[in-house]
mmCIF file with all atom_site columns, all heavy atoms in Angstrom:
data_model
loop_
_atom_site.group_PDB
_atom_site.id
_atom_site.type_symbol
_atom_site.label_atom_id
_atom_site.label_alt_id
_atom_site.label_comp_id
_atom_site.label_asym_id
_atom_site.label_entity_id
_atom_site.label_seq_id
_atom_site.pdbx_PDB_ins_code
_atom_site.Cartn_x
_atom_site.Cartn_y
_atom_site.Cartn_z
_atom_site.occupancy
_atom_site.B_iso_or_equiv
_atom_site.pdbx_formal_charge
_atom_site.auth_seq_id
_atom_site.auth_comp_id
_atom_site.auth_asym_id
_atom_site.auth_atom_id
_atom_site.pdbx_PDB_model_num
ATOM 1   N N   . THR A 1 1  ? 0.815  -1.139  -0.040  1.00 51.00 ? 79  THR A N   1
ATOM 2   C CA  . THR A 1 1  ? -0.015 -0.001  0.062   1.00 51.00 ? 79  THR A CA  1
ATOM 3   C C   . THR A 1 1  ? 0.872  1.327   0.029   1.00 51.00 ? 79  THR A C   1
ATOM 4   O O   . THR A 1 1  ? 0.366  2.356   -0.167  1.00 51.00 ? 79  THR A O   1
ATOM 5   C CB  . THR A 1 1  ? -1.016 -0.120  1.182   1.00 51.00 ? 79  THR A CB  1
ATOM 6   O OG1 . THR A 1 1  ? -0.092 -0.033  2.469   1.00 51.00 ? 79  THR A OG1 1
ATOM 7   C CG2 . THR A 1 1  ? -1.973 -1.105  1.251   1.00 51.00 ? 79  THR A CG2 1
ATOM 8   N N   . ARG A 1 2  ? 2.204  1.186   0.199   1.00 57.00 ? 80  ARG A N   1
ATOM 9   C CA  . ARG A 1 2  ? 2.909  2.401   0.064   1.00 57.00 ? 80  ARG A CA  1
ATOM 10  C C   . ARG A 1 2  ? 2.916  2.936   -1.171  1.00 57.00 ? 80  ARG A C   1
ATOM 11  O O   . ARG A 1 2  ? 2.888  2.315   -2.242  1.00 57.00 ? 80  ARG A O   1
ATOM 12  C CB  . ARG A 1 2  ? 4.476  1.956   0.536   1.00 57.00 ? 80  ARG A CB  1
ATOM 13  C CG  . ARG A 1 2  ? 4.614  1.945   1.994   1.00 57.00 ? 80  ARG A CG  1
ATOM 14  C CD  . ARG A 1 2  ? 6.104  2.152   2.219   1.00 57.00 ? 80  ARG A CD  1
ATOM 15  N NE  . ARG A 1 2  ? 6.271  2.125   3.671   1.00 57.00 ? 80  ARG A NE  1
ATOM 16  C CZ  . ARG A 1 2  ? 7.212  1.521   4.443   1.00 57.00 ? 80  ARG A CZ  1
ATOM 17  N NH1 . ARG A 1 2  ? 8.174  0.977   3.748   1.00 57.00 ? 80  ARG A NH1 1
ATOM 18  N NH2 . ARG A 1 2  ? 7.206  1.569   5.630   1.00 57.00 ? 80  ARG A NH2 1
ATOM 19  N N   . ARG A 1 3  ? 3.133  4.256   -1.182  1.00 56.00 ? 81  ARG A N   1
ATOM 20  C CA  . ARG A 1 3  ? 3.248  4.974   -2.407  1.00 56.00 ? 81  ARG A CA  1
ATOM 21  C C   . ARG A 1 3  ? 4.458  4.508   -3.243  1.00 56.00 ? 81  ARG A C   1
ATOM 22  O O   . ARG A 1 3  ? 5.554  4.310   -2.807  1.00 56.00 ? 81  ARG A O   1
ATOM 23  C CB  . ARG A 1 3  ? 3.328  6.422   -2.212  1.00 56.00 ? 81  ARG A CB  1
ATOM 24  C CG  . ARG A 1 3  ? 3.305  7.271   -3.382  1.00 56.00 ? 81  ARG A CG  1
ATOM 25  C CD  . ARG A 1 3  ? 3.099  8.861   -3.042  1.00 56.00 ? 81  ARG A CD  1
ATOM 26  N NE  . ARG A 1 3  ? 3.252  9.588   -4.266  1.00 56.00 ? 81  ARG A NE  1
ATOM 27  C CZ  . ARG A 1 3  ? 4.338  9.968   -4.738  1.00 56.00 ? 81  ARG A CZ  1
ATOM 28  N NH1 . ARG A 1 3  ? 5.560  9.823   -4.167  1.00 56.00 ? 81  ARG A NH1 1
ATOM 29  N NH2 . ARG A 1 3  ? 4.369  10.837  -5.819  1.00 56.00 ? 81  ARG A NH2 1
ATOM 30  N N   . ASN A 1 4  ? 4.195  4.332   -4.528  1.00 60.00 ? 82  ASN A N   1
ATOM 31  C CA  . ASN A 1 4  ? 5.152  3.763   -5.418  1.00 60.00 ? 82  ASN A CA  1
ATOM 32  C C   . ASN A 1 4  ? 5.580  4.930   -6.338  1.00 60.00 ? 82  ASN A C   1
ATOM 33  O O   . ASN A 1 4  ? 5.094  5.115   -7.412  1.00 60.00 ? 82  ASN A O   1
ATOM 34  C CB  . ASN A 1 4  ? 4.518  2.527   -6.204  1.00 60.00 ? 82  ASN A CB  1
ATOM 35  C CG  . ASN A 1 4  ? 5.611  1.898   -7.101  1.00 60.00 ? 82  ASN A CG  1
ATOM 36  O OD1 . ASN A 1 4  ? 6.648  2.278   -7.292  1.00 60.00 ? 82  ASN A OD1 1
ATOM 37  N ND2 . ASN A 1 4  ? 5.055  0.752   -7.462  1.00 60.00 ? 82  ASN A ND2 1
ATOM 38  N N   . PRO A 1 5  ? 6.625  5.675   -6.026  1.00 61.00 ? 83  PRO A N   1
ATOM 39  C CA  . PRO A 1 5  ? 6.972  6.925   -6.772  1.00 61.00 ? 83  PRO A CA  1
ATOM 40  C C   . PRO A 1 5  ? 7.461  6.567   -8.067  1.00 61.00 ? 83  PRO A C   1
ATOM 41  O O   . PRO A 1 5  ? 7.219  7.348   -9.083  1.00 61.00 ? 83  PRO A O   1
ATOM 42  C CB  . PRO A 1 5  ? 8.033  7.484   -5.960  1.00 61.00 ? 83  PRO A CB  1
ATOM 43  C CG  . PRO A 1 5  ? 8.605  6.466   -5.015  1.00 61.00 ? 83  PRO A CG  1
ATOM 44  C CD  . PRO A 1 5  ? 7.471  5.632   -4.872  1.00 61.00 ? 83  PRO A CD  1
ATOM 45  N N   . CYS A 1 6  ? 8.016  5.476   -8.378  1.00 68.00 ? 84  CYS A N   1
ATOM 46  C CA  . CYS A 1 6  ? 8.536  5.133   -9.876  1.00 68.00 ? 84  CYS A CA  1
ATOM 47  C C   . CYS A 1 6  ? 7.446  4.254   -10.580 1.00 68.00 ? 84  CYS A C   1
ATOM 48  O O   . CYS A 1 6  ? 7.787  3.855   -11.630 1.00 68.00 ? 84  CYS A O   1
ATOM 49  C CB  . CYS A 1 6  ? 9.860  4.255   -9.764  1.00 68.00 ? 84  CYS A CB  1
ATOM 50  S SG  . CYS A 1 6  ? 9.775  2.693   -8.790  1.00 68.00 ? 84  CYS A SG  1
ATOM 51  N N   . GLU A 1 7  ? 6.255  4.047   -9.960  1.00 72.00 ? 85  GLU A N   1
ATOM 52  C CA  . GLU A 1 7  ? 5.132  3.270   -10.541 1.00 72.00 ? 85  GLU A CA  1
ATOM 53  C C   . GLU A 1 7  ? 5.653  1.975   -11.046 1.00 72.00 ? 85  GLU A C   1
ATOM 54  O O   . GLU A 1 7  ? 5.180  1.516   -12.184 1.00 72.00 ? 85  GLU A O   1
ATOM 55  C CB  . GLU A 1 7  ? 4.640  4.209   -11.721 1.00 72.00 ? 85  GLU A CB  1
ATOM 56  C CG  . GLU A 1 7  ? 4.034  5.537   -11.297 1.00 72.00 ? 85  GLU A CG  1
ATOM 57  C CD  . GLU A 1 7  ? 3.332  6.337   -12.254 1.00 72.00 ? 85  GLU A CD  1
ATOM 58  O OE1 . GLU A 1 7  ? 3.230  5.874   -13.508 1.00 72.00 ? 85  GLU A OE1 1
ATOM 59  O OE2 . GLU A 1 7  ? 3.072  7.479   -11.974 1.00 72.00 ? 85  GLU A OE2 1
ATOM 60  N N   . ALA A 1 8  ? 6.407  1.316   -10.338 1.00 75.00 ? 86  ALA A N   1
ATOM 61  C CA  . ALA A 1 8  ? 6.896  -0.042  -10.651 1.00 75.00 ? 86  ALA A CA  1
ATOM 62  C C   . ALA A 1 8  ? 5.776  -1.065  -10.437 1.00 75.00 ? 86  ALA A C   1
ATOM 63  O O   . ALA A 1 8  ? 5.098  -0.936  -9.390  1.00 75.00 ? 86  ALA A O   1
ATOM 64  C CB  . ALA A 1 8  ? 8.178  -0.386  -9.937  1.00 75.00 ? 86  ALA A CB  1
ATOM 65  N N   . LYS A 1 9  ? 5.698  -2.011  -11.274 1.00 82.00 ? 87  LYS A N   1
ATOM 66  C CA  . LYS A 1 9  ? 4.702  -3.061  -11.141 1.00 82.00 ? 87  LYS A CA  1
ATOM 67  C C   . LYS A 1 9  ? 5.253  -4.179  -10.230 1.00 82.00 ? 87  LYS A C   1
ATOM 68  O O   . LYS A 1 9  ? 6.365  -4.732  -10.578 1.00 82.00 ? 87  LYS A O   1
ATOM 69  C CB  . LYS A 1 9  ? 4.334  -3.668  -12.523 1.00 82.00 ? 87  LYS A CB  1
ATOM 70  C CG  . LYS A 1 9  ? 3.427  -4.909  -12.339 1.00 82.00 ? 87  LYS A CG  1
ATOM 71  C CD  . LYS A 1 9  ? 3.126  -5.561  -13.677 1.00 82.00 ? 87  LYS A CD  1
ATOM 72  C CE  . LYS A 1 9  ? 2.455  -6.794  -13.500 1.00 82.00 ? 87  LYS A CE  1
ATOM 73  N NZ  . LYS A 1 9  ? 2.709  -7.817  -14.558 1.00 82.00 ? 87  LYS A NZ  1
ATOM 74  N N   . PRO A 1 10 ? 4.826  -4.457  -9.085  1.00 83.00 ? 88  PRO A N   1
ATOM 75  C CA  . PRO A 1 10 ? 5.294  -5.427  -8.185  1.00 83.00 ? 88  PRO A CA  1
ATOM 76  C C   . PRO A 1 10 ? 5.097  -6.869  -8.795  1.00 83.00 ? 88  PRO A C   1
ATOM 77  O O   . PRO A 1 10 ? 3.968  -7.210  -9.280  1.00 83.00 ? 88  PRO A O   1
ATOM 78  C CB  . PRO A 1 10 ? 4.489  -5.287  -6.848  1.00 83.00 ? 88  PRO A CB  1
ATOM 79  C CG  . PRO A 1 10 ? 3.301  -4.544  -7.234  1.00 83.00 ? 88  PRO A CG  1
ATOM 80  C CD  . PRO A 1 10 ? 3.587  -3.792  -8.566  1.00 83.00 ? 88  PRO A CD  1
ATOM 81  N N   . VAL A 1 11 ? 6.113  -7.649  -8.610  1.00 87.00 ? 89  VAL A N   1
ATOM 82  C CA  . VAL A 1 11 ? 6.056  -9.060  -9.038  1.00 87.00 ? 89  VAL A CA  1
ATOM 83  C C   . VAL A 1 11 ? 6.484  -9.891  -7.811  1.00 87.00 ? 89  VAL A C   1
ATOM 84  O O   . VAL A 1 11 ? 7.551  -9.634  -7.196  1.00 87.00 ? 89  VAL A O   1
ATOM 85  C CB  . VAL A 1 11 ? 7.095  -9.398  -10.230 1.00 87.00 ? 89  VAL A CB  1
ATOM 86  C CG1 . VAL A 1 11 ? 7.099  -10.911 -10.473 1.00 87.00 ? 89  VAL A CG1 1
ATOM 87  C CG2 . VAL A 1 11 ? 6.767  -8.570  -11.475 1.00 87.00 ? 89  VAL A CG2 1
ATOM 88  N N   . PHE A 1 12 ? 5.633  -10.813 -7.364  1.00 87.00 ? 90  PHE A N   1
ATOM 89  C CA  . PHE A 1 12 ? 5.772  -11.354 -6.017  1.00 87.00 ? 90  PHE A CA  1
ATOM 90  C C   . PHE A 1 12 ? 6.450  -12.824 -6.272  1.00 87.00 ? 90  PHE A C   1
ATOM 91  O O   . PHE A 1 12 ? 6.016  -13.493 -7.000  1.00 87.00 ? 90  PHE A O   1
ATOM 92  C CB  . PHE A 1 12 ? 4.459  -11.482 -5.275  1.00 87.00 ? 90  PHE A CB  1
ATOM 93  C CG  . PHE A 1 12 ? 3.958  -10.210 -5.073  1.00 87.00 ? 90  PHE A CG  1
ATOM 94  C CD1 . PHE A 1 12 ? 2.874  -9.769  -5.896  1.00 87.00 ? 90  PHE A CD1 1
ATOM 95  C CD2 . PHE A 1 12 ? 4.379  -9.373  -4.187  1.00 87.00 ? 90  PHE A CD2 1
ATOM 96  C CE1 . PHE A 1 12 ? 2.223  -8.549  -5.782  1.00 87.00 ? 90  PHE A CE1 1
ATOM 97  C CE2 . PHE A 1 12 ? 3.718  -8.084  -4.097  1.00 87.00 ? 90  PHE A CE2 1
ATOM 98  C CZ  . PHE A 1 12 ? 2.685  -7.758  -4.755  1.00 87.00 ? 90  PHE A CZ  1
ATOM 99  N N   . VAL A 1 13 ? 7.498  -13.060 -5.384  1.00 88.00 ? 91  VAL A N   1
ATOM 100 C CA  . VAL A 1 13 ? 8.179  -14.354 -5.534  1.00 88.00 ? 91  VAL A CA  1
ATOM 101 C C   . VAL A 1 13 ? 8.064  -14.874 -4.093  1.00 88.00 ? 91  VAL A C   1
ATOM 102 O O   . VAL A 1 13 ? 8.467  -14.354 -3.097  1.00 88.00 ? 91  VAL A O   1
ATOM 103 C CB  . VAL A 1 13 ? 9.621  -14.197 -5.925  1.00 88.00 ? 91  VAL A CB  1
ATOM 104 C CG1 . VAL A 1 13 ? 10.358 -15.488 -5.684  1.00 88.00 ? 91  VAL A CG1 1
ATOM 105 C CG2 . VAL A 1 13 ? 9.869  -13.667 -7.310  1.00 88.00 ? 91  VAL A CG2 1
ATOM 106 N N   . PRO A 1 14 ? 7.448  -16.088 -3.931  1.00 88.00 ? 92  PRO A N   1
ATOM 107 C CA  . PRO A 1 14 ? 7.202  -16.630 -2.704  1.00 88.00 ? 92  PRO A CA  1
ATOM 108 C C   . PRO A 1 14 ? 8.499  -17.301 -2.034  1.00 88.00 ? 92  PRO A C   1
ATOM 109 O O   . PRO A 1 14 ? 9.178  -17.970 -2.717  1.00 88.00 ? 92  PRO A O   1
ATOM 110 C CB  . PRO A 1 14 ? 6.125  -17.771 -2.897  1.00 88.00 ? 92  PRO A CB  1
ATOM 111 C CG  . PRO A 1 14 ? 6.224  -18.121 -4.333  1.00 88.00 ? 92  PRO A CG  1
ATOM 112 C CD  . PRO A 1 14 ? 6.632  -16.882 -5.012  1.00 88.00 ? 92  PRO A CD  1
ATOM 113 N N   . LEU A 1 15 ? 8.530  -17.172 -0.751  1.00 88.00 ? 93  LEU A N   1
ATOM 114 C CA  . LEU A 1 15 ? 9.533  -17.903 0.080   1.00 88.00 ? 93  LEU A CA  1
ATOM 115 C C   . LEU A 1 15 ? 8.823  -19.161 0.422   1.00 88.00 ? 93  LEU A C   1
ATOM 116 O O   . LEU A 1 15 ? 7.693  -19.158 0.744   1.00 88.00 ? 93  LEU A O   1
ATOM 117 C CB  . LEU A 1 15 ? 10.023 -17.070 1.177   1.00 88.00 ? 93  LEU A CB  1
ATOM 118 C CG  . LEU A 1 15 ? 10.808 -15.860 0.857   1.00 88.00 ? 93  LEU A CG  1
ATOM 119 C CD1 . LEU A 1 15 ? 11.174 -15.014 2.145   1.00 88.00 ? 93  LEU A CD1 1
ATOM 120 C CD2 . LEU A 1 15 ? 11.941 -16.119 0.085   1.00 88.00 ? 93  LEU A CD2 1
ATOM 121 N N   . VAL A 1 16 ? 9.596  -20.390 0.466   1.00 85.00 ? 94  VAL A N   1
ATOM 122 C CA  . VAL A 1 16 ? 9.034  -21.594 0.724   1.00 85.00 ? 94  VAL A CA  1
ATOM 123 C C   . VAL A 1 16 ? 9.364  -22.021 2.105   1.00 85.00 ? 94  VAL A C   1
ATOM 124 O O   . VAL A 1 16 ? 10.470 -22.075 2.591   1.00 85.00 ? 94  VAL A O   1
ATOM 125 C CB  . VAL A 1 16 ? 9.647  -22.656 -0.308  1.00 85.00 ? 94  VAL A CB  1
ATOM 126 C CG1 . VAL A 1 16 ? 9.063  -24.073 -0.023  1.00 85.00 ? 94  VAL A CG1 1
ATOM 127 C CG2 . VAL A 1 16 ? 9.425  -22.145 -1.686  1.00 85.00 ? 94  VAL A CG2 1
ATOM 128 N N   . GLU A 1 17 ? 8.223  -22.390 2.759   1.00 85.00 ? 95  GLU A N   1
ATOM 129 C CA  . GLU A 1 17 ? 8.342  -22.770 4.189   1.00 85.00 ? 95  GLU A CA  1
ATOM 130 C C   . GLU A 1 17 ? 8.914  -24.253 4.145   1.00 85.00 ? 95  GLU A C   1
ATOM 131 O O   . GLU A 1 17 ? 8.752  -25.013 3.277   1.00 85.00 ? 95  GLU A O   1
ATOM 132 C CB  . GLU A 1 17 ? 6.854  -22.784 4.824   1.00 85.00 ? 95  GLU A CB  1
ATOM 133 C CG  . GLU A 1 17 ? 6.471  -21.393 5.073   1.00 85.00 ? 95  GLU A CG  1
ATOM 134 C CD  . GLU A 1 17 ? 5.084  -21.468 5.829   1.00 85.00 ? 95  GLU A CD  1
ATOM 135 O OE1 . GLU A 1 17 ? 5.179  -21.742 7.136   1.00 85.00 ? 95  GLU A OE1 1
ATOM 136 O OE2 . GLU A 1 17 ? 4.124  -21.085 5.329   1.00 85.00 ? 95  GLU A OE2 1
ATOM 137 N N   . PRO A 1 18 ? 9.483  -24.848 5.280   1.00 87.00 ? 96  PRO A N   1
ATOM 138 C CA  . PRO A 1 18 ? 9.556  -24.191 6.496   1.00 87.00 ? 96  PRO A CA  1
ATOM 139 C C   . PRO A 1 18 ? 10.808 -23.375 6.749   1.00 87.00 ? 96  PRO A C   1
ATOM 140 O O   . PRO A 1 18 ? 10.989 -22.513 7.684   1.00 87.00 ? 96  PRO A O   1
ATOM 141 C CB  . PRO A 1 18 ? 9.703  -25.334 7.511   1.00 87.00 ? 96  PRO A CB  1
ATOM 142 C CG  . PRO A 1 18 ? 10.298 -26.455 6.698   1.00 87.00 ? 96  PRO A CG  1
ATOM 143 C CD  . PRO A 1 18 ? 9.837  -26.235 5.196   1.00 87.00 ? 96  PRO A CD  1
ATOM 144 N N   . ASP A 1 19 ? 11.826 -23.409 5.860   1.00 84.00 ? 97  ASP A N   1
ATOM 145 C CA  . ASP A 1 19 ? 13.141 -22.636 6.046   1.00 84.00 ? 97  ASP A CA  1
ATOM 146 C C   . ASP A 1 19 ? 13.058 -21.328 5.180   1.00 84.00 ? 97  ASP A C   1
ATOM 147 O O   . ASP A 1 19 ? 14.111 -20.722 5.221   1.00 84.00 ? 97  ASP A O   1
ATOM 148 C CB  . ASP A 1 19 ? 14.170 -23.593 5.612   1.00 84.00 ? 97  ASP A CB  1
ATOM 149 C CG  . ASP A 1 19 ? 14.253 -23.963 4.129   1.00 84.00 ? 97  ASP A CG  1
ATOM 150 O OD1 . ASP A 1 19 ? 13.162 -23.653 3.412   1.00 84.00 ? 97  ASP A OD1 1
ATOM 151 O OD2 . ASP A 1 19 ? 15.233 -24.565 3.601   1.00 84.00 ? 97  ASP A OD2 1
ATOM 152 N N   . TRP A 1 20 ? 12.002 -21.032 4.560   1.00 85.00 ? 98  TRP A N   1
ATOM 153 C CA  . TRP A 1 20 ? 11.732 -19.722 3.903   1.00 85.00 ? 98  TRP A CA  1
ATOM 154 C C   . TRP A 1 20 ? 12.845 -19.459 2.782   1.00 85.00 ? 98  TRP A C   1
ATOM 155 O O   . TRP A 1 20 ? 13.323 -18.395 2.567   1.00 85.00 ? 98  TRP A O   1
ATOM 156 C CB  . TRP A 1 20 ? 11.912 -18.604 4.909   1.00 85.00 ? 98  TRP A CB  1
ATOM 157 C CG  . TRP A 1 20 ? 10.744 -18.731 5.898   1.00 85.00 ? 98  TRP A CG  1
ATOM 158 C CD1 . TRP A 1 20 ? 10.912 -19.160 7.274   1.00 85.00 ? 98  TRP A CD1 1
ATOM 159 C CD2 . TRP A 1 20 ? 9.408  -18.563 5.701   1.00 85.00 ? 98  TRP A CD2 1
ATOM 160 N NE1 . TRP A 1 20 ? 9.731  -19.234 7.823   1.00 85.00 ? 98  TRP A NE1 1
ATOM 161 C CE2 . TRP A 1 20 ? 8.748  -18.886 6.962   1.00 85.00 ? 98  TRP A CE2 1
ATOM 162 C CE3 . TRP A 1 20 ? 8.555  -18.118 4.676   1.00 85.00 ? 98  TRP A CE3 1
ATOM 163 C CZ2 . TRP A 1 20 ? 7.358  -18.748 7.284   1.00 85.00 ? 98  TRP A CZ2 1
ATOM 164 C CZ3 . TRP A 1 20 ? 7.297  -18.049 4.869   1.00 85.00 ? 98  TRP A CZ3 1
ATOM 165 C CH2 . TRP A 1 20 ? 6.729  -18.352 6.151   1.00 85.00 ? 98  TRP A CH2 1
ATOM 166 N N   . HIS A 1 21 ? 13.270 -20.519 2.045   1.00 82.00 ? 99  HIS A N   1
ATOM 167 C CA  . HIS A 1 21 ? 14.161 -20.419 0.998   1.00 82.00 ? 99  HIS A CA  1
ATOM 168 C C   . HIS A 1 21 ? 13.370 -19.879 -0.298  1.00 82.00 ? 99  HIS A C   1
ATOM 169 O O   . HIS A 1 21 ? 12.079 -20.140 -0.237  1.00 82.00 ? 99  HIS A O   1
ATOM 170 C CB  . HIS A 1 21 ? 14.896 -21.601 0.584   1.00 82.00 ? 99  HIS A CB  1
ATOM 171 C CG  . HIS A 1 21 ? 14.051 -22.699 0.025   1.00 82.00 ? 99  HIS A CG  1
ATOM 172 N ND1 . HIS A 1 21 ? 13.231 -23.450 0.798   1.00 82.00 ? 99  HIS A ND1 1
ATOM 173 C CD2 . HIS A 1 21 ? 13.930 -23.151 -1.314  1.00 82.00 ? 99  HIS A CD2 1
ATOM 174 C CE1 . HIS A 1 21 ? 12.562 -24.440 -0.101  1.00 82.00 ? 99  HIS A CE1 1
ATOM 175 N NE2 . HIS A 1 21 ? 12.931 -24.029 -1.278  1.00 82.00 ? 99  HIS A NE2 1
ATOM 176 N N   . PHE A 1 22 ? 14.023 -19.331 -1.265  1.00 80.00 ? 100 PHE A N   1
ATOM 177 C CA  . PHE A 1 22 ? 13.304 -19.049 -2.498  1.00 80.00 ? 100 PHE A CA  1
ATOM 178 C C   . PHE A 1 22 ? 13.780 -20.055 -3.552  1.00 80.00 ? 100 PHE A C   1
ATOM 179 O O   . PHE A 1 22 ? 14.850 -20.439 -3.637  1.00 80.00 ? 100 PHE A O   1
ATOM 180 C CB  . PHE A 1 22 ? 13.502 -17.550 -2.943  1.00 80.00 ? 100 PHE A CB  1
ATOM 181 C CG  . PHE A 1 22 ? 14.975 -17.101 -2.940  1.00 80.00 ? 100 PHE A CG  1
ATOM 182 C CD1 . PHE A 1 22 ? 15.782 -17.366 -4.126  1.00 80.00 ? 100 PHE A CD1 1
ATOM 183 C CD2 . PHE A 1 22 ? 15.581 -16.481 -1.886  1.00 80.00 ? 100 PHE A CD2 1
ATOM 184 C CE1 . PHE A 1 22 ? 17.038 -16.979 -4.316  1.00 80.00 ? 100 PHE A CE1 1
ATOM 185 C CE2 . PHE A 1 22 ? 16.812 -15.966 -2.035  1.00 80.00 ? 100 PHE A CE2 1
ATOM 186 C CZ  . PHE A 1 22 ? 17.595 -16.204 -3.169  1.00 80.00 ? 100 PHE A CZ  1
ATOM 187 N N   . ASP A 1 23 ? 12.839 -20.279 -4.537  1.00 80.00 ? 101 ASP A N   1
ATOM 188 C CA  . ASP A 1 23 ? 13.090 -21.252 -5.518  1.00 80.00 ? 101 ASP A CA  1
ATOM 189 C C   . ASP A 1 23 ? 13.837 -20.461 -6.625  1.00 80.00 ? 101 ASP A C   1
ATOM 190 O O   . ASP A 1 23 ? 13.285 -19.450 -7.186  1.00 80.00 ? 101 ASP A O   1
ATOM 191 C CB  . ASP A 1 23 ? 11.723 -21.736 -6.081  1.00 80.00 ? 101 ASP A CB  1
ATOM 192 C CG  . ASP A 1 23 ? 11.860 -22.756 -7.286  1.00 80.00 ? 101 ASP A CG  1
ATOM 193 O OD1 . ASP A 1 23 ? 12.386 -22.323 -8.368  1.00 80.00 ? 101 ASP A OD1 1
ATOM 194 O OD2 . ASP A 1 23 ? 11.597 -23.883 -7.005  1.00 80.00 ? 101 ASP A OD2 1
ATOM 195 N N   . ALA A 1 24 ? 15.041 -20.877 -6.989  1.00 75.00 ? 102 ALA A N   1
ATOM 196 C CA  . ALA A 1 24 ? 15.843 -20.153 -8.002  1.00 75.00 ? 102 ALA A CA  1
ATOM 197 C C   . ALA A 1 24 ? 15.182 -19.984 -9.374  1.00 75.00 ? 102 ALA A C   1
ATOM 198 O O   . ALA A 1 24 ? 15.182 -19.046 -9.996  1.00 75.00 ? 102 ALA A O   1
ATOM 199 C CB  . ALA A 1 24 ? 17.157 -20.728 -8.165  1.00 75.00 ? 102 ALA A CB  1
ATOM 200 N N   . ASP A 1 25 ? 14.491 -21.073 -9.762  1.00 76.00 ? 103 ASP A N   1
ATOM 201 C CA  . ASP A 1 25 ? 13.801 -21.106 -11.078 1.00 76.00 ? 103 ASP A CA  1
ATOM 202 C C   . ASP A 1 25 ? 12.622 -20.076 -11.048 1.00 76.00 ? 103 ASP A C   1
ATOM 203 O O   . ASP A 1 25 ? 12.504 -19.373 -12.006 1.00 76.00 ? 103 ASP A O   1
ATOM 204 C CB  . ASP A 1 25 ? 13.305 -22.468 -11.355 1.00 76.00 ? 103 ASP A CB  1
ATOM 205 C CG  . ASP A 1 25 ? 14.315 -23.447 -11.742 1.00 76.00 ? 103 ASP A CG  1
ATOM 206 O OD1 . ASP A 1 25 ? 15.547 -22.938 -12.254 1.00 76.00 ? 103 ASP A OD1 1
ATOM 207 O OD2 . ASP A 1 25 ? 14.267 -24.610 -11.523 1.00 76.00 ? 103 ASP A OD2 1
ATOM 208 N N   . LEU A 1 26 ? 11.913 -20.045 -10.091 1.00 70.00 ? 104 LEU A N   1
ATOM 209 C CA  . LEU A 1 26 ? 10.817 -19.058 -9.804  1.00 70.00 ? 104 LEU A CA  1
ATOM 210 C C   . LEU A 1 26 ? 11.312 -17.593 -9.796  1.00 70.00 ? 104 LEU A C   1
ATOM 211 O O   . LEU A 1 26 ? 10.868 -16.760 -10.532 1.00 70.00 ? 104 LEU A O   1
ATOM 212 C CB  . LEU A 1 26 ? 10.072 -19.377 -8.503  1.00 70.00 ? 104 LEU A CB  1
ATOM 213 C CG  . LEU A 1 26 ? 8.556  -19.479 -8.619  1.00 70.00 ? 104 LEU A CG  1
ATOM 214 C CD1 . LEU A 1 26 ? 8.162  -20.576 -7.539  1.00 70.00 ? 104 LEU A CD1 1
ATOM 215 C CD2 . LEU A 1 26 ? 7.848  -18.307 -8.544  1.00 70.00 ? 104 LEU A CD2 1
ATOM 216 N N   . ARG A 1 27 ? 12.429 -17.396 -9.231  1.00 72.00 ? 105 ARG A N   1
ATOM 217 C CA  . ARG A 1 27 ? 12.964 -16.030 -9.149  1.00 72.00 ? 105 ARG A CA  1
ATOM 218 C C   . ARG A 1 27 ? 13.445 -15.715 -10.521 1.00 72.00 ? 105 ARG A C   1
ATOM 219 O O   . ARG A 1 27 ? 13.216 -14.528 -11.071 1.00 72.00 ? 105 ARG A O   1
ATOM 220 C CB  . ARG A 1 27 ? 14.186 -16.036 -8.138  1.00 72.00 ? 105 ARG A CB  1
ATOM 221 C CG  . ARG A 1 27 ? 14.614 -14.705 -7.922  1.00 72.00 ? 105 ARG A CG  1
ATOM 222 C CD  . ARG A 1 27 ? 15.959 -14.688 -6.966  1.00 72.00 ? 105 ARG A CD  1
ATOM 223 N NE  . ARG A 1 27 ? 16.968 -15.151 -7.792  1.00 72.00 ? 105 ARG A NE  1
ATOM 224 C CZ  . ARG A 1 27 ? 17.542 -16.311 -7.610  1.00 72.00 ? 105 ARG A CZ  1
ATOM 225 N NH1 . ARG A 1 27 ? 17.218 -17.172 -6.665  1.00 72.00 ? 105 ARG A NH1 1
ATOM 226 N NH2 . ARG A 1 27 ? 18.692 -16.788 -8.299  1.00 72.00 ? 105 ARG A NH2 1
#
C-alpha cells in the first residue's frame, strides 16, 4: 500500500516454508 513513486509493477516471489528459501527457477 505504500506510495510507489516510480510506478513499478510489483512481481511477487514466494519464499518456501519451513526454512523460507526461494526457488531459484521461480525467481
